[in-house]
């Protein structure tokens, strides 16, 4: 074999190596393209997962099973307890933003359906806010059951699922068997709200069980969560004064109801002194036993 033959063989070997190199380069390009596609897919999946986790973190499930709160006029109750409350019952929109920023569930009452568009425009999508239009209509001489139902339908149309929406009646309406006259059966409510008080001293042996039993049963039958948006145990009615122990016992009874009825989502205590037909004082910050009974309800892990 001559040197020329050796050189030709060597050149062919080099050509073969170059072809192998080109083939491997093509394979590597394909692998790189696949890797880039996989990375883009992984990034997309990661973004979707992050969005899902954020949504889960922001949805209602992280909230306690029962949030315990106070009406907006009872601001002195939180400092007395030394712990934040999870809900607030409001009739004025002034502090709603601050309450939401503080992580509270807000039950907002507006007077008429004409107030609804502004609330929806401002708070659409805010799941911490439940809108109530014309609470306790049974105590309102300006409406009737049929008119109230019509107003609720119009309010629901304006809300259009952008906020939680609920009716709010007095507990006595269920006792009288009249709740069905007021609650519009064709409105897609998100919850049922009730206001109920112990209004005399001494109280009946059943106390809050008597007041709320029918309401709890009705909410369950409708498949709706129940929010007790106003509730109070008077320390004084006119000249009659309850003992600290009796008032604490009724708060404990309310605690038991909240723990025992899985459909209850919130309890807002009406911590004020009011004058209407009679003078009633529902406050208790000066009564250590009652404060402790209420604190036990707020901190109960069974409600979380």
């Amino acid at each position: 074999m001559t040197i020329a033959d050796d050189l030709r063989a060597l050149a062919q070997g080099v050509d073969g190596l170059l072809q192998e190199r080109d083939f491997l380069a093509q394979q590597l390009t394909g692998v790189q393209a696949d890797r880039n596609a996989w990375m883009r897919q992984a990034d997309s999946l990661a973004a979707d997962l992050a969005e899902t986790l954020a949504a889960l973190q922001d949805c209602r499930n992280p909230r306690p099973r029962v949030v315990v709160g106070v009406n907006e006029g009872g601001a002195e109750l939180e400092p007395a307890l030394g712990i934040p409350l999870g809900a607030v019952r409001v009739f004025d929109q002034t502090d709603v933003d601050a309450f939401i920023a503080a992580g509270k569930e807000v039950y907002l009452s507006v007077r008429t359906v004409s107030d609804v568009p502004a609330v929806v425009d401002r708070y659409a999508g805010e799941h911490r806010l439940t809108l109530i239009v014309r609470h306790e209509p049974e105590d309102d001489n300006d409406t009737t059951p049929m008119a109230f139902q019509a107003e609720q339908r119009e309010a629901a149309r304006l809300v259009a699922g952008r906020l939680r929406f609920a009716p709010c009646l007095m507990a006595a309406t269920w006792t009288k068997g009249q709740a069905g006259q007021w609650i519009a059966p064709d409105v897609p409510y998100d919850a049922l709200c009730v206001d109920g008080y112990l209004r005399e001293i001494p109280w009946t042996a059943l106390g809050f069980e008597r007041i709320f039993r029918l309401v709890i049963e009705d909410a369950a039958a409708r498949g709706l969560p129940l929010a007790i948006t106003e509730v109070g145990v008077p320390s004084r009615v006119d000249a009659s004064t309850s003992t600290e122990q009796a008032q604490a016992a009724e708060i404990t009874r309310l605690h038991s109801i909240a723990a025992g009825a899985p459909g209850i989502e919130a309890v807002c205590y009406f911590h004020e002194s009011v004058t209407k037909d009679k003078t009633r004082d529902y406050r208790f910050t000066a009564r250590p036993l009652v404060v402790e009974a209420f604190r036990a309800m707020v901190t109960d892990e069974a409600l979380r």
Side-chain angles (χ1 to χ4, degrees):
M1 179 178 286
T2 65
I3 294 175
D5 292 333
D6 290 339
L7 290 174
R8 280 194 295 272
L10 180 61
Q12 290 173 352
V14 170
D15 287 341
L17 290 174
L18 290 174
Q19 290 174 3
E20 185 70 21
R21 183 204 65 180
D22 292 342
F23 174 76
L24 292 174
Q26 290 174 353
Q27 292 295 103
L28 182 60
T29 300
V31 169
Q32 185 66 39
D34 289 343
R35 176 185 178 277
N36 291 340
W38 293 334
M39 290 298 294
R40 287 193 297 271
Q41 186 176 10
D43 289 343
S44 177
L45 289 172
D48 289 345
L49 179 59
E51 184 177 343
T52 300
L53 290 174
L56 287 173
Q57 184 67 25
D58 199 39
C59 75
R60 294 183 192 133
N61 272 334
R63 76 192 290 282
R65 182 175 72 79
V66 181
V67 289
V68 182
V70 69
N71 65 301
E72 61 187 333
E76 74 275 14
L77 184 53
E78 269 191 342
L81 293 168
I83 48 178
L85 296 173
V88 62
R89 176 80 161 94
V90 300
F91 303 89
D92 185 333
Q93 297 180 48
T94 304
D95 296 319
V96 168
D97 288 345
F99 289 138
I100 291 174
K104 296 184 187 298
E105 304 287 331
V106 178
Y107 293 86
L108 169 65
S109 276
V110 296
R111 179 64 184 140
T112 68
V113 72
S114 63
D115 300 312
V116 172
V119 176
V120 174
D121 288 346
R122 185 172 183 85
Y123 297 108
E126 178 50 70
H127 63 254
R128 290 190 177 89
L129 188 144
T130 299
L131 179 63
I132 299 164
V133 178
R134 196 187 295 272
H135 84 290
E136 298 184 9
E138 322 93 304
D139 202 31
D140 188 341
N141 293 327
D142 293 335
T143 193
T144 64
M146 289 187 64
F148 177 74
Q149 286 197 24
E151 186 177 51
Q152 293 286 286
R153 292 186 189 96
E154 176 61 11
R157 185 188 69 79
L158 293 170
V159 170
R162 290 173 289 174
L163 285 175
R164 297 183 86 231
F165 179 50
C168 181
L169 306 181
M170 298 183 292
T173 303
W174 276 270
T175 305
K176 297 173 183 176
Q178 297 173 354
Q181 299 176 23
W182 294 92
I183 301 173
D186 53 346
V187 170
Y189 290 119
D190 298 290
L192 194 61
C193 298
V194 61
D195 297 343
Y197 296 84
L198 295 177
R199 294 188 179 276
E200 56 189 32
I201 300 171
W203 306 292
T204 66
L206 292 177
F208 282 126
E209 284 92 339
R210 174 180 60 83
I211 291 175
F212 291 124
R213 179 179 62 82
L214 294 175
V215 189
I216 291 169
E217 291 175 357
D218 189 32
R222 296 175 186 273
L224 294 174
L226 175 65
I228 300 175
T229 43
E230 289 182 34
V231 63
V233 183
S235 59
R236 178 175 59 84
V237 175
D238 289 340
S240 302
T241 302
S242 72
T243 66
E244 184 175 348
Q245 291 84 353
Q247 194 179 18
E250 291 301 332
I251 294 293
T252 300
R253 196 186 301 269
L254 179 63
H255 179 179
S256 297
I257 292 171
I264 294 179
E265 69 172 22
V267 176
C268 292
Y269 191 87
F270 192 80
H271 198 265
E272 289 192 48
S273 178
V274 296
T275 299
K276 194 174 181 183
D277 299 328
K278 297 181 179 180
T279 298
R280 298 183 179 91
D281 192 346
Y282 297 101
R283 297 169 298 178
F284 57 75
T285 48
R287 294 183 157 192
L289 288 178
V290 190
V291 171
E292 285 307 310
F294 197 85
R295 183 183 289 115
M297 178 165 59
V298 176
T299 58
D300 185 359
E301 289 298 322
L303 301 184
R304 298 175 181 273

